[in-house]
Amino acid sequence: MSKSTHTSKSSATVDQSRDDVAIAANDKCHDKGKEPPASSAVANNPFVKTNEPIGSMTTKRSIKKRSSSDGMTPMMAQYMTIKEEAGDALLFYRMGDFYELFFEDAVQASRALDITLTKRGKHKGDDIPMCGVPFHSYDVYLAKLIKAGFKVAICEQTEDPAEAKKRGSKSVVARGIVRFVTPGTLTEDALLDASSNNFLGALATMRGGSEAALAHVDVSTGDLFVRTTTADRLNADLASGPFSELIISETTVVEEKWSSVINELSNRLLLTQQPAPFFDRRNAEQRLKEYFDVAALDAFGSFSRVEIAAIGALLAYVSLTQIDRTPPLRAPRRLSDREAMSIDEATRASLEITTTQGGGRRGSLLHAVDRTVSGPGARLLASRLTAPLTHPAAVARRHGAVESFVHDDRARLEIRELIDGSPDMARSLSRLALGRGGPRDLVAIREGLITAREVARCLSHSQTPTSEEIEAADNALEARAQGGFSVLIRTLSEALKDNPPMLAREGNFIAKGFDAALDDVRVLRDDARRIIVGLEANYRQRAGVKTLKIKNNNVLGYFIETTAGQADPLMNDADDFFIHRQTLASAVRFTTSELIDLDTKISRAADEALGRELLLFKQLTDEIIEQARKITAAADAIAVIDVAAASATLAVEEFYVRPKVDDSLTFEIVAGRHPVVEQALKKAGEAEFCPNDCCLSADDADTDEGGLIWLMTGPNMAGKSTFLRQNAVITILAQAGLYVPAASAHIGVADRIFSRVGASDDLARGRSTFMVEMVETAAILNQAGPRAIVILDEIGRGTSTYDGLAIAWSAVEHLHNVNRARTLFATHYHELTSLSETLSRLENVSMKVREWKDEVIFLHEVVSGPADRSYGVAVARLAGLPKKAISRAKTILKDLEASGGRAAVAPELPLFAQFSGHEQSDSSSDDNSEGVDALRDALDKINPDDLTPRAALEALYALKEAHQSE
């Protein structure tokens, strides 16, 4: 594979004879004229000094001072010092227009990025490996490194190169780390999925691990949550959101209750260990008070000690990685176990809620129901699907918001058009607060607020009564109670051009007429030639010399020049207006005080214009950050309205209905459909999806006696697995606040959903398919209660017939007598159907099948009563098994059914004996075996290659006649 040759000038191979002075001089050339970023605060960070855990940034406070006497240049000595601060993170060391990497960092980065590895100078007699990436497109390379599991420290200049020159010609421009980039702290749009959150988590434990809490934050949006957890429930809590990094304490790793959990997590999630002081509760409480500027945390709710420790550790890590700069985080929100439905990791995978089992989004439930038109709306919808509500009143508020748009086509269409492609204000606000935003983020805030105002206007004209949720969102769109956004919108509209550059350092983003001082500087910068032409005309008129010209060179700057014969009027000017500068053989040069001032201003104009724009950028950013909470609320409101309008669009287009969700144990779905399968059939142009009813309500659904168990038999090919999943999916949609694919639906709130459908193994943890099945079944039987929805398919099929039957039998009884959960239990053990005689809440249902002319037709309908028989052989035939195998399977099946499953096993399996040419025993042969042998002998004598078409036809007639005579 050919490698990319994307390297900087400084990445080219350096002549080994170059001395240290030459290298230092080259370094200064890279530094010249670059804008200094915010200064590094790593050295002053109170959390860094003890931060030496495995897999995290490590900073040494006592760094041995290096110099050229160590055999390296001043620049490389500086690099080595900063590299020790970076610890195990790759160091992006800014040199001019490139980020350079050296030594082992360069070797690792060149492999991960597939770029050329070069060298620069020597260290201890060896070449120094080196590679670089362009500053203007570094985020592309950064994304690859983060995805590959690396952490990156960004090192920038921290002083003006002019200041470095004052210290001496060999001085190196000061540099420092301005940011650590880890998977959980990303903010750049190029590194993030607009439709998905990116959570950084912190796990805190106390009392030897008996108390624990999980806090998580999306640095790019400011969302901050915390919840209590346990070692048994941590996987389910982590599965509720897309976590990319988890901070843990060094002490948690060795705690008995947590060590095995942590080891398992390390296989699929980046774990960053931090020292115990990060998780100190007293320090954490003080951090929270300082950050949110409150005297007490009571205003945010009641947090336990371990929850405060988790949030504090999160803030400390964000402060560390962002070098004491934190995004505008929202007040921490405590997630209660009773607030949202609990869905474990296995169930999420089985139901494919946000991703398919192959890891993709297409084909998932989220992909099927997502009609949002903005990134924030898509993120909100995903979060609702992963954590459906358990309070009927809260669910009803969401349904009411959807209903508002279902009945108002005009408002729905207009609002969706307004929101479509609207900027992601939350992420732009976060970047601005962290000091890495640009002019486009300012424009995003402006355009987002304008969109919010237009959406509010549209809502005010709606003829349909709005719901409580829409009214709350409407009030936040314009922040009416806090003075609104009119002044900010006007300021940003007047200040900014429509298509500004990405980086503030590029300049030319402030609109003309906004700042008089900037306009004056720009006139000098952009209209210098016009001004010079005007002066030239004035000077010609004053001196009376038509050949007078104003010229420019790098030595003199701007000057006046005329021929020697025309110079006297300027030399003899009575007011000494013209100042003689230089006499040449053919020309005389002059200047004026006015021209000298103008020359100075023009030469500084570009720098002054950029400096003025950067100052204005900071002022505009400060104005936005002052209103961060109002802007965040407006951004949230747009997302809420986007989800409501999108859900209404889905309901109208796909004929979904508003479900009834209450506190009962009712579960009645009429003509339910699976949204993913239904849309797949439509797209393929195949037959319409066959809807089915499902009723798991007991006679008195208002009691806590429990729900029904539907014991399902019949072939999977008839749609059994689809039916199982669709009822769980409808429940999730209903409690997430969406309409559902059914004719009607009445669902009593489910506090948990369990789905055990399909077979898989976990070889990495030494678990067979059957072991995984039993672990998941055990979790269901140990945790499901009367309010749970349980979906179980083919329990016990991974072991011997009688073992499996016994396990399935006992599981059904346990679900009925102990768990009392509303359950769909699919099985091929027909013996279980007899349980309906002893278990009062168990009903037999089956998938309807029709046989016609020796063909089996699967009707995909659920009917009352057990299946009359199994159709496994028929499915095997459809799958393409050889005809001989199918024929033999039918024979064996008849024998087993006739003997009650007690048929003797021959010394040699008859099927294989048949294939090897041995004769069958009488007990396993058909009555007409002699006729079959005669036909086989006749066929063996025929060579098709030797037959003419007529001879082949005659041979076929002969075979048919022989067969009929038998």
Side-chain angles (χ1 to χ4, degrees):
M1 184 190 327
S2 62
K3 285 185 176 287
S4 168
T5 57
H6 223 171
T7 57
S8 67
K9 293 180 181 179
S10 59
S11 298
T13 303
V14 179
D15 185 353
Q16 298 307 306
S17 64
R18 177 182 295 174
D19 57 23
D20 291 347
V21 175
I23 296 178
N26 187 43
D27 181 37
K28 289 191 296 179
C29 291
H30 278 287
D31 296 335
K32 186 178 296 184
K34 299 303 173 187
E35 171 197 352
S39 62
S40 170
V42 173
N44 299 320
N45 195 313
F47 307 111
V48 179
K49 62 180 73 176
T50 58
N51 180 23
E52 296 184 25
I54 301 171
S56 70
M57 287 74 66
T58 304
T59 300
K60 306 283 189 181
R61 298 304 298 269
S62 55
I63 299 172
K64 180 182 176 182
K65 193 171 183 178
R66 296 182 175 86
S67 66
S68 297
S69 61
D70 295 326
M72 62 177 66
T73 67
M75 185 274 291
M76 290 308 301
Q78 181 193 66
Y79 170 85
M80 294 295 288
T81 299
I82 298 174
K83 174 56 186 171
E84 288 199 44
E85 294 180 1
D88 67 348
L90 301 180
L91 181 61
F92 270 31
Y93 182 83
R94 180 73 177 275
M95 292 177 63
D97 291 331
F98 281 77
Y99 285 119
E100 305 289 6
L101 300 96
F102 298 95
F103 296 100
E104 184 61 25
D105 282 5
V107 175
Q108 294 185 64
S110 66
R111 291 172 182 166
L113 299 175
D114 194 27
I115 60 177
T116 302
L117 181 67
T118 62
K119 53 190 175 182
R120 172 173 184 153
K122 289 183 178 291
H123 177 56
K124 296 182 180 179
D126 297 327
D127 292 332
I128 299 176
M130 172 182 175
C131 70
V133 300
F135 163 75
H136 66 275
S137 59
Y138 81 100
D139 53 351
V140 177
Y141 301 93
L142 188 60
K144 292 181 180 179
L145 291 174
I146 295 300
K147 188 175 182 180
F150 292 98
K151 300 172 184 175
V152 178
I154 306 295
C155 174
E156 297 280 6
Q157 295 171 194
T158 57
E159 71 170 344
D160 193 318
E163 293 298 318
K165 290 182 180 179
K166 295 177 181 178
R167 298 196 302 269
S169 59
K170 295 184 180 180
S171 297
V172 179
V173 175
R175 292 179 174 86
I177 295 174
V178 298
R179 175 192 178 195
F180 286 97
V181 186
T182 71
T185 59
L186 304 176
T187 58
E188 290 84 352
D189 283 338
L191 308 182
L192 294 168
D193 179 358
S195 62
S196 177
N197 283 107
N198 182 57
F199 286 124
L200 166 70
L203 175 67
T205 59
M206 288 184 177
R207 299 184 184 276
S210 59
E211 295 181 12
L214 174 67
H216 58 284
V217 64
D218 186 333
V219 176
S220 70
T221 63
D223 295 318
L224 177 60
F225 306 96
V226 67
R227 71 192 311 159
T228 57
T229 189
T230 64
D232 294 333
R233 207 177 68 230
L234 180 61
N235 274 315
D237 292 338
L238 289 173
S240 65
F243 283 76
S244 57
E245 185 177 3
L246 180 66
I247 310 163
I248 56 175
S249 172
E250 295 171 324
T251 58
T252 302
V253 178
V254 297
E255 288 172 351
E256 183 178 352
K257 292 183 178 181
W258 291 93
S259 59
S260 60
V261 177
I262 297 301
N263 286 334
E264 290 181 5
L265 285 177
S266 64
N267 295 323
R268 58 185 178 85
L269 183 65
L270 175 63
L271 301 181
T272 300
Q273 290 187 37
Q274 294 297 325
F278 258 60
F279 297 83
D280 180 78
R281 194 264 305 173
R282 294 182 183 85
N283 291 340
E285 185 172 352
Q286 186 60 32
R287 285 187 209 117
L288 266 71
K289 291 178 180 177
E290 290 177 356
Y291 180 82
F292 292 105
D293 193 23
V294 295
L297 300 180
D298 297 342
F300 302 140
S302 177
F303 295 109
S304 66
R305 298 190 333 167
V306 70
E307 288 173 332
I308 291 174
I311 301 173
L314 208 58
L315 291 180
Y317 187 75
V318 172
S319 178
L320 168 66
T321 57
Q322 309 307 308
I323 314 302
D324 282 339
R325 305 186 74 164
T326 52
L329 302 181
R330 307 162 195 254
R333 178 185 168 195
R334 188 176 189 274
L335 300 177
S336 169
D337 294 338
R338 290 175 289 182
E339 181 180 341
M341 180 191 296
S342 177
I343 310 174
D344 61 34
E345 187 179 13
T347 299
R348 291 180 189 276
S350 172
L351 299 180
E352 301 180 309
I353 298 175
T354 57
T355 59
T356 64
Q357 295 186 27
R361 187 173 184 272
R362 183 175 295 276
S364 67
L365 173 63
L366 175 59
H367 180 263
V369 301
D370 188 0
R371 298 293 189 277
T372 59
V373 291
S374 71
R379 293 197 298 270
L380 178 61
L381 177 61
S383 68
R384 289 185 173 184
L385 285 179
T386 56
L389 300 177
T390 54
H391 294 304
V395 174
R397 282 194 293 271
R398 291 183 180 178
H399 287 154
V402 178
E403 188 173 23
S404 298
F405 290 113
V406 166
H407 299 303
D408 193 338
D409 292 341
R410 183 198 60 78
R412 182 180 74 251
L413 295 173
E414 185 176 350
I415 285 175
R416 281 172 59 80
E417 185 176 352
L418 288 170
I419 296 176
D420 190 5
S422 60
D424 197 332
M425 286 196 290
R427 286 185 170 173
S428 289
L429 184 62
S430 180
R431 285 191 292 271
L432 290 169
L434 289 169
R436 64 180 69 110
R440 293 182 185 176
D441 290 308
L442 299 181
V443 172
I445 299 296
R446 180 191 71 190
E447 296 303 312
L449 293 178
I450 292 174
T451 297
R453 183 172 61 187
E454 291 300 309
V455 170
R457 177 193 57 77
C458 184
L459 287 174
S460 67
H461 295 158
S462 175
Q463 301 301 316
T464 303
T466 57
S467 69
E468 181 180 345
E469 185 172 75
I470 296 299
E471 287 180 359
D474 186 21
N475 291 330
L477 288 172
E478 294 188 284
R480 298 189 186 105
Q482 296 83 30
F485 297 112
S486 297
V487 175
L488 181 58
I489 291 174
R490 183 169 61 252
T491 300
L492 294 174
S493 297
E494 294 173 353
L496 299 169
K497 293 184 177 180
D498 289 334
N499 297 301
M502 179 176 294
L503 303 174
R505 63 189 290 269
E506 296 179 31
N508 199 32
F509 56 86
I510 297 295
K512 184 178 181 180
F514 177 73
D515 184 77
L518 176 60
D519 289 343
D520 290 342
V521 176
R522 281 178 171 173
V523 167
L524 290 175
R525 185 195 66 183
D526 302 334
D527 298 339
R529 185 58 191 164
R530 182 182 58 80
I531 295 173
I532 292 300
V533 170
L535 280 180
E536 189 178 75
N538 291 338
Y539 291 164
R540 285 177 180 173
Q541 184 177 2
R542 180 185 181 94
V545 178
K546 294 183 178 181
T547 60
L548 180 149
K549 293 182 179 180
I550 295 179
K551 296 184 177 181
N552 177 274
N553 64 34
N554 293 332
V555 177
L556 299 178
Y558 284 98
F559 57 88
I560 302 167
E561 182 179 280
T562 186
T563 61
Q566 298 290 325
D568 287 346
L570 283 73
M571 285 284 195
N572 300 324
D573 184 72
D575 298 329
D576 293 329
F577 181 80
F578 296 103
I579 303 169
H580 177 257
R581 295 200 63 177
Q582 194 176 33
T583 299
L584 303 177
S586 59
V588 182
R589 292 173 175 173
F590 301 84
T591 189
T592 67
S593 298
E594 182 182 26
L595 188 58
I596 291 172
D597 291 341
L598 181 61
D599 183 23
T600 302
K601 290 179 180 179
I602 291 174
S603 64
R604 293 192 314 221
D607 290 340
E608 289 181 2
L610 178 59
R612 185 65 185 170
E613 286 199 86
L614 292 176
L615 177 62
L616 293 171
F617 176 81
K618 184 180 184 304
Q619 292 174 354
L620 294 172
T621 298
D622 290 343
E623 287 188 47
I624 288 172
I625 293 175
E626 285 178 4
Q627 303 186 51
R629 292 190 179 180
K630 294 193 299 181
I631 295 172
T632 297
D636 290 346
I638 291 177
V640 167
I641 293 171
D642 185 16
V643 170
S647 300
T649 300
L650 174 72
V652 171
E653 293 178 351
E654 303 293 340
F655 303 101
Y656 287 14
V657 299
R658 177 173 179 168
K660 179 181 179 181
V661 178
D662 56 27
D663 281 324
S664 69
L665 292 179
T666 301
F667 193 92
E668 296 178 358
I669 296 174
V670 177
R673 291 125 46 206
H674 195 299
V676 178
V677 177
E678 181 181 37
Q679 291 180 30
L681 290 174
K682 283 184 180 180
K683 187 175 181 180
E686 297 180 10
E688 292 186 0
F689 187 92
C690 180
N692 279 294
D693 301 344
C694 182
C695 179
L696 300 178
S697 307
D699 292 337
D700 188 358
D702 293 327
T703 69
D704 287 336
E705 289 301 315
L708 298 181
I709 298 178
W710 269 20
L711 187 71
M712 299 191 67
T713 50
N716 288 336
M717 280 287 291
K720 187 166 60 178
S721 296
T722 298
F723 177 76
L724 294 177
R725 288 187 173 98
Q726 80 183 35
N727 289 288
V729 163
I730 288 173
T731 305
I732 289 173
L733 290 176
Q735 292 185 216
L738 280 74
Y739 280 28
V740 299
S744 67
H746 182 184
I747 298 172
V749 164
D751 61 354
R752 309 191 71 153
I753 280 189
F754 297 95
S755 176
R756 207 274 142 205
V757 181
S760 62
D761 55 32
D762 191 349
L763 299 179
R765 295 161 67 182
R767 293 177 177 177
S768 65
T769 301
F770 181 64
M771 183 61 178
V772 171
E773 175 187 320
M774 290 297 98
V775 168
E776 294 176 358
T777 303
I780 296 172
L781 298 183
N782 287 325
Q783 299 176 36
R787 286 207 165 273
I789 302 293
V790 175
I791 309 299
L792 280 166
D793 186 23
E794 304 303 340
I795 296 302
R797 298 290 288 182
T799 184
S800 68
T801 301
Y802 293 119
D803 276 356
L805 176 58
I807 292 170
W809 192 299
S810 65
V812 171
E813 289 183 340
H814 196 280
L815 286 165
H816 183 276
N817 300 328
V818 180
N819 303 108
R820 307 195 311 279
R822 293 164 286 183
T823 304
L824 291 172
F825 194 106
T827 184
H828 276 87
Y829 292 124
H830 287 249
E831 295 84 350
L832 296 181
T833 59
S834 63
L835 286 172
S836 61
E837 300 174 5
T838 57
L839 303 181
S840 61
R841 297 194 315 280
L842 185 144
E843 294 184 3
N844 287 309
V845 295
S846 59
M847 304 306 300
K848 189 174 182 180
V849 178
R850 179 178 296 170
E851 295 184 68
W852 185 73
K853 292 185 178 181
D854 202 29
E855 293 287 336
V856 176
I857 301 173
F858 302 113
L859 300 178
H860 305 289
E861 293 182 21
V862 178
V863 295
S864 180
D868 55 354
R869 62 186 180 88
S870 174
Y871 293 88
V873 175
V875 174
R877 182 181 61 78
L878 292 175
L881 262 67
K883 292 182 179 180
K884 287 185 178 180
I886 295 297
S887 175
R888 183 61 183 145
K890 289 180 178 179
T891 301
I892 296 174
L893 178 61
K894 289 179 181 179
D895 289 344
L896 291 173
E897 289 176 342
S899 61
R902 295 183 297 274
V905 179
E908 182 179 15
L909 290 178
L911 175 62
F912 297 134
Q914 180 180 8
F915 286 153
S916 62
H918 297 299
E919 292 184 0
Q920 303 289 329
S921 64
D922 292 340
S923 63
S924 62
S925 301
D926 293 336
D927 295 336
N928 62 344
S929 59
E930 293 181 2
V932 171
D933 290 339
L935 287 172
R936 184 182 292 111
D937 292 338
L939 283 171
D940 289 340
K941 295 176 181 179
I942 297 174
N943 186 352
D945 293 334
D946 296 336
L947 297 178
T948 64
R950 183 178 182 84
L953 185 61
E954 291 175 351
L956 180 59
Y957 279 122
L959 289 172
K960 183 176 181 180
E961 184 178 352
H963 173 64
Q964 291 174 345
S965 65
E966 290 295 333

